[in-house]
Amino acid sequence: MAFVSSGYDPKEPMKNRITDIGPRNFEEFYPPVIKKNKGKWLYHEILEPGVLVHVAESGDEVYTVRVGGCRLMSVEHIREICEIADKYCKGYLRFTTRNNVEFMLDDKSKVKPLVDDLMSRKQPGGCYKFPVGGTGAGITNIVHTQGWIHCHTPATDASGPVKATMDVLFDDFRNMRLPAHMRVSLACCLNMCGAVHCSDIAILGYHRKPPMLDHEYLDKMCEIPLAIAACPTAAIKPSKITLPDGKEVKSVAVNNDRCMFCGNCYTMCPAMPLADDVGDGIVIMAGGKVSNRLSTPKFSKVVVAFLPNEAPRWPRTTSVIKQIVEAYAKGANKYERLGEWAERIGWERFFEKCEIEFTHHLIDDFRDPAYYTWRQTTQFKF
Amino acid sequence: MAKHQTPMLDQLETGPWPSFVSDIKRQAEFRKNNQGKVNYQIPVDACDDLLGVLELSYKHGRTHWKHGGIVGVFGYGGGVIGRYCDQPEKFPGVAHFHTMRVSQPAGKFYTSDYLKKLCDLWDMRGSGITNMHGSTGDIIFLGTTTAQLEEVFFELTHTFNQDLGGSGSNLRTPSDCVGQARCEFACYDTQAICHDLTNEYQDELHRPAFPYKFKFKFDGCPNCCVASIARSDMSFIGTWRDDIRVDQKAVAAYVGGELKPNAGAHAGRNWGKFDIQKEVVALCPTGCMRYEGGKLEINNRECTRCMHCINVMPRALRIGNDRGLSILVGAKAPILDGAQMGTLLVPFISAEPPYTEIKETVIEPIWDWWMEEGKNRERLGELIKRQGFGKLLEVTGFKPDPRMVKEPRSNPYIFWKEEEVEGGWERDVNEFRKYHQR
């Protein structure tokens, strides 16, 4: 492992330094058919799950084959994607916002060979490498965060629960039987790098125990005023602590009753860890959307307050999700998103149809918005 | 033989969905064999140790990554996230395992040539593990040592003409939907503006000067495929002001069943014959459509451009020609004070390059205000809530417009300013008392 210099000279960091050049220009990466017809597309059609055709004013067609996969991806896997793009697509490809890979073809006759090739590639345990699907009224790939693979604040893993969930929802990735498309997202803590709060189904990692206080190190590792200011409920105040050796140190005290476990204090102060094998787990939220179609965008609502982290396959989490998907598939009208269905039938019916218990945790008590979620009418269903 | 036993992770190697465990194992094996004789610059067994530490997290139910660490490349305050393992003796291959965010090209189009070279770079100078892509949109290089950060950056900028993305209290790497590149609904060129603003604001992207993170996202139409309305401090959503273009022949073809509704999105179930009255006209949220005598009529003045009819009949209905975008501000995820959706500030603005109006009348006045008034770790949406939407109008100079609200306020607690009230607030109580006894 001999060190190989890139040309960078640590003694003269400014020598030949190039900065602020931004990303590569997107135009370098457009397939010719895209470059030619940009802004002049007439319509599209989903030919089969995972296969789209877009038709331009010029009469040109581009066929897109969409495959799901893990956003956590090795370079060997990317090389295989590139090999496929070289073989079928003259080396062009793109990724979607939801971590799918899209192979674009300008010739319909290449679609079937590509789809067959993609579906034939499997990992040693039998998992598909490049499952084709994720279009239309089905379930596309889950957007998610890092989880235990690389993050310091997670309350659950990301890639594991996503794999377990997509295994359970796989048929709906490959099919389009639902009333509308369904977006499933996962964020491994409330920071929500993945911003899952407007998803049809959101899987959210959550802590349930207040921070532990590493008094001996707290003042050394943290700016105490920042830790105090970080708390949205003002549960943290300065304190003085006498350590077992008699030494007095500056630290903080937490009013545990005011803690709602957001973890923002830990973000500011590493000496206040929250993570706990029993305390941490998953919140299921449902009924959100970002599209302005028919109804306005909606936040997801908490429908299950807590499920334990059951590594490696999170069976209770995946089974609740499956219950929701099946109840929705059965009950919703065509074009109706999960949240629109829940609002039409009423949330009291939603819990009944999804066979989810309604508990006191699900009634909002956090500040002003809470009131607007209570029922101020006699219109409800028995 | 794997370096670490991973009985729990191994259970994620079955089932139909691609397995990240199998993929990391593949990379671990590839590095061990090193058929390409790569001069690995970080431990060869990084991937083995990554699996090992993840297995330990599965066993403990807790992460084994330490909190942060100040590392980066010279002169930048973002683009690198320091990461250290809290069990470095057991897993030396990932003891130092920093993330690098690489600014992705707009639209996420690539050539294999470019990606393969990036792979070679990351194979040699990092773990060979990536995210394609991170939540914000960057290419994420997952795991390298401090010594390699400058080396990777040097290679990226010199060989790849490629920069790092944003992290920390910076402008985060902007991202966009596929847009006009391959979508007939796109009302403006999302890639062009995304690329332009990313380059215009490189300083804001690389050098933290903001109270907290700031995100731009570009959705070509109100379908919002990149979810800008939910997760970007400034959300750009394509729209139009004139009429939906109608092809009555194609409408008839949908009604007659020759064309599949919603571009075939519902093919997995038999929903019965397409019923334009029930599926389009009756569902229109404003009731601005009528289908009579084989003709579809739209009262465009009443249309709120929800996209439903266009989504259902893409071959018959097309977006209007007078196009631009709406700007909504202040969206964020729940932490700290709860989630916020973007609030409409600019109903319509031109989206033609060089975007001067957008930069000078929207982005920059808002940043000036936020940098002046925002508290540490206060997102724009929280500042708007704290100081009021009226303050936002004041700093931007936009005129109040009923489009900006769902409804007017239902309390009369208006913070009248003295200059708004005739005669001001200074009064003589003795003069008052002449007519009103104590």
Side-chain angles (χ1 to χ4, degrees):
Chain A
M1 203 173 85
F3 183 80
V4 180
S5 172
S6 60
Y8 171 73
D9 181 357
K11 288 190 198 108
E12 287 188 80
M14 291 312 289
K15 194 173 135 194
N16 297 330
R17 196 168 189 84
I18 299 175
T19 65
D20 301 290
I21 55 173
R24 289 283 282 265
N25 192 314
F26 54 94
E27 287 190 349
E28 298 173 45
F29 299 131
Y30 280 155
V33 64
I34 295 290
K35 192 172 268 185
K36 181 179 162 200
N37 296 291
K38 184 176 177 181
K40 293 174 190 151
W41 296 100
L42 271 182
Y43 65 88
H44 76 283
E45 200 179 322
I46 304 168
L47 301 175
E48 60 183 76
V51 181
L52 302 111
V53 61
H54 287 80
V55 181
E57 287 167 9
S58 65
D60 287 353
E61 296 175 336
V62 60
Y63 294 86
T64 300
V65 178
R66 182 179 293 169
V67 302
C70 310
R71 76 163 217 186
L72 181 65
M73 197 178 277
S74 72
V75 295
E76 269 298 275
H77 189 75
I78 299 173
R79 287 175 177 137
E80 189 168 344
I81 292 169
C82 290
E83 171 216 312
I84 296 167
D86 285 341
K87 188 169 169 193
Y88 295 93
C89 315
K90 302 190 177 89
Y92 293 98
L93 69 146
R94 78 175 286 269
F95 290 79
T96 71
T97 299
R98 302 192 74 87
N99 310 322
N100 296 308
V101 184
E102 290 185 337
F103 296 101
M104 290 156 287
L105 307 161
D106 48 17
D107 178 357
K108 194 176 183 181
S109 69
K110 292 184 195 158
V111 171
K112 192 174 181 301
L114 172 58
V115 170
D116 290 346
D117 186 349
L118 291 164
M119 291 301 289
S120 72
R121 294 179 190 236
K122 293 198 170 177
Q123 293 173 315
C127 312
Y128 289 100
K129 273 184 184 169
F130 303 107
V132 175
T135 50
I139 297 176
T140 188
N141 206 345
I142 296 179
V143 288
H144 64 90
T145 54
Q146 298 289 19
W148 292 335
I149 197 84
H150 208 235
C151 185
H152 62 293
T153 65
T156 188
D157 187 32
S159 298
V162 164
K163 159 72 175 153
T165 303
M166 284 310 289
D167 277 344
V168 169
L169 300 179
F170 189 72
D171 288 347
D172 283 316
F173 178 80
R174 297 270 298 142
N175 198 333
M176 304 189 291
R177 60 151 186 154
L178 297 180
H181 57 275
M182 176 176 259
R183 299 285 185 248
V184 185
S185 311
L186 179 145
C188 53
C189 84
L190 192 63
N191 277 325
M192 282 197 190
C193 304
V196 303
H197 55 289
C198 297
S199 307
D200 294 278
I201 296 178
I203 307 165
L204 173 65
Y206 212 85
H207 305 290
R208 290 185 308 163
K209 294 190 183 185
M212 292 177 278
L213 305 173
D214 208 348
H215 290 304
E216 192 183 341
Y217 294 93
L218 201 137
D219 191 32
K220 294 176 204 159
M221 294 170 82
C222 318
E223 295 281 348
I224 287 178
L226 287 182
I228 292 167
C231 181
T233 64
I236 305 174
K237 62 179 184 186
S239 75
K240 286 209 166 113
I241 298 286
T242 308
L243 297 176
D245 65 3
K247 196 176 148 198
E248 197 177 68
V249 291
K250 281 192 211 163
S251 186
V252 298
V254 176
N255 179 348
N256 287 340
D257 293 339
R258 296 184 74 155
C259 180
M260 45 65 162
F261 321 99
C262 72
N264 203 46
C265 52
Y266 181 62
T267 297
M268 297 312 287
C269 175
M272 301 178 73
L274 285 86
D276 188 88
D277 57 338
V278 179
D280 295 354
I282 279 173
V283 177
I284 304 285
M285 301 172 76
K289 71 197 262 286
V290 295
S291 162
N292 291 275
R293 183 176 185 173
L294 296 177
S295 63
T296 54
K298 300 175 201 303
F299 291 125
S300 312
K301 321 292 188 278
V302 177
V303 296
V304 180
F306 183 80
L307 293 165
N309 274 328
E310 300 166 309
R313 281 201 164 267
W314 281 264
R316 268 188 274 184
T317 295
T318 58
S319 91
V320 168
I321 291 169
K322 185 74 175 162
Q323 272 164 244
I324 297 171
V325 173
E326 290 309 321
Y328 163 69
K330 199 169 149 202
N333 293 336
K334 191 177 179 187
Y335 306 115
E336 209 167 43
R337 293 285 291 269
L338 180 68
E340 292 166 333
W341 169 61
E343 285 175 10
R344 176 173 60 80
I345 63 173
W347 284 96
E348 60 269 48
R349 282 281 180 279
F350 173 89
F351 284 94
E352 190 182 297
K353 294 200 182 286
C354 295
E355 296 177 31
I356 296 172
E357 190 194 353
F358 187 84
T359 69
H360 71 273
H361 306 106
L362 307 181
I363 301 173
D364 197 352
D365 54 6
F366 191 73
R367 300 193 176 159
D368 260 9
Y371 167 82
Y372 299 98
T373 66
W374 307 336
R375 195 184 299 271
Q376 286 100 19
T377 169
T378 56
Q379 296 182 13
F380 60 85
K381 292 180 181 175
F382 285 110
Chain B
M1 182 68 195
K3 184 177 171 189
H4 303 284
Q5 292 298 302
T6 54
M8 290 179 91
L9 292 178
D10 295 350
Q11 294 176 55
L12 291 170
E13 289 198 275
T14 53
W17 191 251
S19 167
F20 68 98
V21 176
S22 300
D23 189 33
I24 301 174
K25 283 186 178 178
R26 173 188 188 179
Q27 194 66 26
E29 193 65 20
F30 176 82
R31 285 175 80 90
K32 195 164 77 183
N33 295 337
N34 193 14
Q35 287 183 341
K37 306 271 184 263
V38 176
N39 200 340
Y40 288 121
Q41 298 292 293
I42 78 159
V44 175
D45 55 1
C47 294
D48 298 282
D49 280 355
L50 184 62
L51 286 168
V53 73
L54 186 61
E55 176 76 16
L56 193 65
S57 281
Y58 271 54
K59 196 172 139 198
H60 288 163
R62 298 182 300 269
T63 191
H64 280 290
W65 298 101
K66 279 196 209 178
H67 196 291
I70 313 282
V71 290
V73 297
F74 189 78
Y76 280 11
V80 179
I81 295 99
R83 189 64 71 224
Y84 300 92
C85 181
D86 72 4
Q87 297 294 314
E89 295 84 8
K90 277 195 196 128
F91 308 106
V94 294
H96 300 195
F97 208 62
H98 312 314
T99 302
M100 301 189 81
R101 293 189 181 161
V102 179
S103 196
Q104 84 288 355
K108 298 191 178 85
F109 284 89
Y110 292 99
T111 56
S112 59
D113 182 53
Y114 172 72
L115 280 183
K116 280 187 266 190
K117 286 178 187 156
L118 270 190
C119 287
D120 293 345
L121 170 69
W122 191 238
D123 201 10
M124 173 175 161
R125 298 195 178 273
S127 66
I129 301 297
T130 75
N131 291 151
M132 295 297 285
H133 297 75
S135 303
T136 295
D138 302 90
I139 301 167
I140 306 289
F141 282 173
L142 216 60
T144 194
T145 56
T146 308
Q148 287 303 311
L149 297 173
E150 287 287 357
E151 305 297 328
V152 173
F153 180 67
F154 194 93
E155 290 272 17
L156 284 175
T157 49
H158 286 76
T159 316
F160 292 82
N161 185 26
Q162 168 72 62
D163 210 332
L164 294 179
S167 66
S169 292
N170 288 0
L171 173 65
R172 299 300 181 88
T173 313
S175 70
D176 60 342
C177 69
V178 70
Q180 291 182 335
R182 202 201 54 204
C183 180
E184 67 272 24
F185 301 151
C187 300
Y188 68 100
D189 189 343
T190 53
Q191 266 109 75
I193 189 172
C194 184
H195 188 72
D196 184 280
L197 294 187
T198 305
N199 283 295
E200 174 89 21
Y201 297 118
Q202 282 287 294
D203 192 31
E204 286 77 2
L205 200 146
H206 293 307
R207 296 170 193 88
F210 289 156
Y212 201 11
K213 63 179 96 165
F214 196 95
K215 298 183 179 181
F216 289 143
K217 293 195 190 296
F218 305 92
D219 275 308
C221 83
N223 280 331
C224 283
C225 291
V226 290
S228 70
I229 199 168
R231 62 193 187 120
S232 55
D233 300 86
M234 199 172 281
S235 154
F236 301 81
I237 303 176
T239 196
W240 66 93
R241 289 188 292 196
D242 56 347
D243 296 353
I244 292 173
R245 290 170 287 167
V246 186
D247 175 349
Q248 296 290 354
K249 267 193 205 151
V251 173
Y254 279 107
V255 174
E258 294 108 68
L259 295 176
K260 283 181 269 182
N262 219 94
H266 292 80
R269 195 197 295 194
N270 182 5
W271 290 94
K273 191 175 180 295
F274 175 66
D275 180 341
I276 191 170
Q277 185 60 39
K278 189 173 142 205
E279 297 185 33
V280 179
V281 176
L283 289 180
C284 172
T286 63
C288 71
M289 311 182 92
R290 209 157 65 140
Y291 183 72
E292 257 179 31
K295 203 166 169 253
L296 185 71
E297 276 175 49
I298 303 174
N299 179 0
N300 281 280
R301 205 175 135 67
E302 299 308 309
C303 170
T304 50
R305 302 166 313 286
C306 86
M307 297 297 294
H308 176 67
C309 60
I310 297 177
N311 286 329
V312 174
M313 304 192 292
R315 292 180 75 161
L317 303 180
R318 300 178 68 198
I319 58 170
N321 284 320
D322 179 17
R323 298 170 207 157
L325 53 83
S326 304
I327 300 179
L328 293 87
V329 291
K332 57 179 281 290
I335 205 162
L336 299 167
D337 269 357
Q340 283 177 236
M341 207 73 84
T343 297
L344 182 68
L345 173 65
V346 185
F348 187 91
I349 196 164
S350 157
E352 292 304 314
Y355 318 109
T356 313
E357 199 186 351
I358 290 174
K359 291 169 190 170
E360 291 180 2
T361 71
V362 187
I363 297 172
E364 289 161 18
I366 287 179
W367 279 353
D368 287 345
W369 171 53
W370 181 51
M371 288 197 283
E372 185 70 27
E373 297 285 333
K375 296 185 204 170
N376 183 36
R377 284 168 57 78
E378 184 173 54
R379 293 283 287 269
L380 175 62
E382 288 158 337
L383 174 63
I384 297 171
K385 264 172 87 172
R386 184 161 63 82
Q387 296 203 343
F389 191 82
K391 186 77 189 168
L392 178 67
L393 292 183
E394 210 175 284
V395 302
T396 52
F398 286 104
K399 275 172 55 181
D401 185 322
R403 292 171 189 88
M404 294 167 179
V405 295
K406 255 189 287 201
E407 57 189 27
R409 67 197 301 159
S410 48
N411 65 68
Y413 306 146
I414 299 162
F415 291 99
W416 290 102
K417 291 197 178 86
E418 188 171 11
E419 61 268 25
E420 288 182 302
V421 184
E422 207 177 325
W425 291 344
E426 286 304 316
R427 287 178 289 161
D428 182 351
V429 70
N430 294 323
E431 185 61 24
F432 179 80
R433 285 299 172 212
K434 282 186 193 164
Y435 307 98
H436 304 276
Q437 294 177 19
R438 283 193 180 88

